[in-house]
Amino acid sequence: MTHLYLVPHWFFIYSIIFEAIFAIASGLISYFSFKVYNLSKQKESKWFGAGFFLISVSYVIWLIINLCLLRDNTQAVGSINLEQIVFWWTFAIYSHLILFVTGVITLICSHFKKNKLKLFALLEVISLVSIYLSCNKGLSFYVISSIFLAYLAIIYFLQYLKKRKFNSFLSMIAFILLFISHVQFILASNNYLYYVFGHIVEFMGYLLLISQLIIILKHG
Amino acid sequence: MDKKRNRLEIIKDILEVIRQKNGRIKPTHILYKSNLSYQMMDEYLSELLTKNFIKEGKLGKGKTYLITDKGINYLNQYRLISEFTESFGLNDD
């Protein structure tokens, strides 16, 4: 049996709210990134915006999945079991997984000046084939996305070492928190508390990203 | 020693030079003011033409470059562009 995660009943409504916040936060970052692209025609901004757009859509799907599948759940701890749900929900869940991974890969590619498309294709194929062939797709999804988020955190860490600026530091901490949250989601298939902690840590990560956006808009 | 400029800064500097000359400038003036080699200046001017930040014009026999509304908009919003790309590490060359 493949559990994506276990959800405590008392946390159900909070998880919906968190996922809505994540969708809005990543959507806002995407919006401003595309705005910067329209002004500067800088490709990196376009890729960055596309990445966060895909992530935002994946959160919307995740929110809808949780809302519909767990709405009538009366157990103390609910679960999403990939083998038991019907086709459309399977499609929705896989859409969430694919969109999120694709979004994070797009973010990684936005930091490369050359060979973006080649890198994107390589990472996309490796990730999706790994998830598809895995016996535990939920676990492989969270492991792969954790690795990519860790890589992004390292990119921002190296940028902070180079520039020593507060905004680079904030980005680094934000992506470290997103990485930690996904590690906790790996563990959430066995213990529902990790699902709770994962949401809280992820919220902190997005809070930092939105704070940066607010600072940028104030100065810009 | 001056900090090395990134691509967005150089574009800003070129557009600023054109704006300071009432929106129209000869290529040689850009070369003097922008602190770039001829090859680099040529590369950037091609990029600016492609992005429609500037357009070519004629003044007598010589070629000139004029800043467009998009170019002016870029200058006006440069702070936002710069802060955003720097915060999210998108301006590394």
Side-chain angles (χ1 to χ4, degrees):
Chain A
M1 197 176 282
T2 305
H3 287 118
L4 271 184
Y5 41 78
L6 301 176
V7 187
H9 188 67
W10 59 266
F11 188 69
F12 169 63
I13 191 66
Y14 297 111
S15 76
I16 302 290
I17 294 168
F18 273 128
E19 283 137 33
I21 291 170
F22 301 156
I24 291 167
S26 44
L28 279 172
I29 297 168
S30 170
Y31 170 75
F32 282 103
S33 196
F34 277 120
K35 187 173 177 178
V36 166
Y37 169 70
N38 277 336
L39 290 167
S40 65
K41 302 298 178 199
Q42 187 207 28
K43 284 182 190 168
E44 287 74 27
S45 302
K46 184 169 74 170
W47 279 75
F48 198 72
F52 269 109
F53 175 74
L54 292 169
I55 290 170
S56 180
V57 173
S58 78
Y59 281 129
V60 170
I61 293 173
W62 187 16
L63 188 156
I64 294 169
I65 291 167
N66 275 345
L67 205 51
C68 296
L69 285 182
L70 298 176
R71 178 181 50 192
D72 299 320
N73 179 52
T74 55
Q75 297 171 12
V77 177
S79 68
I80 290 183
N81 184 313
L82 285 174
E83 281 85 18
Q84 291 174 340
I85 51 181
V86 296
F87 169 76
W88 285 112
W89 294 119
T90 309
F91 176 74
I93 286 172
Y94 283 118
S95 297
H96 161 67
L97 304 187
I98 291 167
L99 284 171
F100 190 89
V101 167
T102 306
V104 178
I105 290 171
T106 309
L107 290 185
I108 290 174
C109 293
S110 71
H111 291 278
F112 285 81
K113 292 286 174 188
K114 292 178 183 175
N115 298 320
K116 279 188 181 49
L117 278 173
K118 286 179 187 172
L119 178 65
F120 176 84
L122 177 67
L123 293 178
E124 189 76 2
V125 166
I126 289 173
S127 309
L128 297 184
V129 168
S130 303
I131 292 171
Y132 179 73
L133 293 176
S134 168
C135 295
N136 190 333
K137 295 177 189 351
L139 177 66
S140 59
F141 163 69
Y142 284 120
V143 168
I144 286 168
S145 55
S146 298
I147 291 169
F148 287 149
L149 287 167
Y151 186 75
L152 277 167
I154 290 168
I155 288 176
Y156 283 108
F157 171 67
L158 292 173
Q159 283 179 359
Y160 172 65
L161 282 183
K162 193 172 150 188
K163 294 179 184 178
R164 298 281 175 178
K165 288 205 165 175
F166 180 64
N167 44 21
S168 303
F169 177 74
L170 274 186
S171 295
M172 177 187 75
I173 298 298
F175 278 96
I176 287 173
L177 289 171
L178 293 179
F179 158 68
I180 292 171
S181 72
H182 273 251
V183 170
Q184 291 178 324
F185 287 135
I186 292 171
L187 304 169
S189 61
N190 294 316
N191 187 333
Y192 64 80
L193 282 177
Y194 286 108
Y195 186 76
V196 176
F197 294 144
H199 273 80
I200 293 169
V201 173
E202 194 164 9
F203 173 73
M204 286 159 61
Y206 277 107
L207 197 62
L208 280 179
L209 289 175
I210 290 299
S211 304
Q212 264 196 288
L213 209 52
I214 292 169
I215 293 168
I216 290 164
L217 291 172
K218 263 190 169 177
H219 291 161
Chain B
M1 187 187 282
D2 285 344
K3 172 177 78 104
K4 189 184 169 192
R5 296 178 291 176
N6 62 45
R7 201 165 189 88
L8 294 174
E9 274 178 295
I10 294 172
I11 289 172
K12 180 208 91 177
D13 288 344
I14 293 173
L15 292 174
E16 194 62 61
V17 161
I18 302 175
R19 183 158 71 169
Q20 283 170 5
K21 284 277 186 181
N22 295 321
R24 181 193 286 267
I25 198 168
K26 290 182 183 176
T28 42
H29 290 165
I30 298 176
L31 193 60
Y32 297 145
K33 295 275 190 180
S34 64
N35 204 21
L36 292 169
S37 65
Y38 180 82
Q39 194 180 355
M40 288 298 290
M41 182 199 75
D42 204 39
E43 189 187 304
Y44 275 100
L45 287 176
S46 297
E47 183 179 337
L48 292 174
L49 282 166
T50 308
K51 289 179 177 177
N52 211 22
F53 287 170
I54 60 174
K55 58 185 179 187
E56 277 185 11
K58 271 201 164 181
L59 192 66
K61 286 183 184 174
K63 184 166 68 175
T64 58
Y65 292 104
L66 297 97
I67 192 169
T68 62
D69 288 341
K70 269 192 178 172
I72 293 171
N73 208 20
Y74 178 93
L75 286 174
N76 292 340
Q77 300 282 342
Y78 177 73
R79 195 136 187 216
L80 169 70
I81 295 166
S82 163
E83 295 262 353
F84 186 93
T85 52
E86 193 172 280
S87 295
F88 292 111
L90 303 173
N91 62 353
D92 272 356
D93 282 330

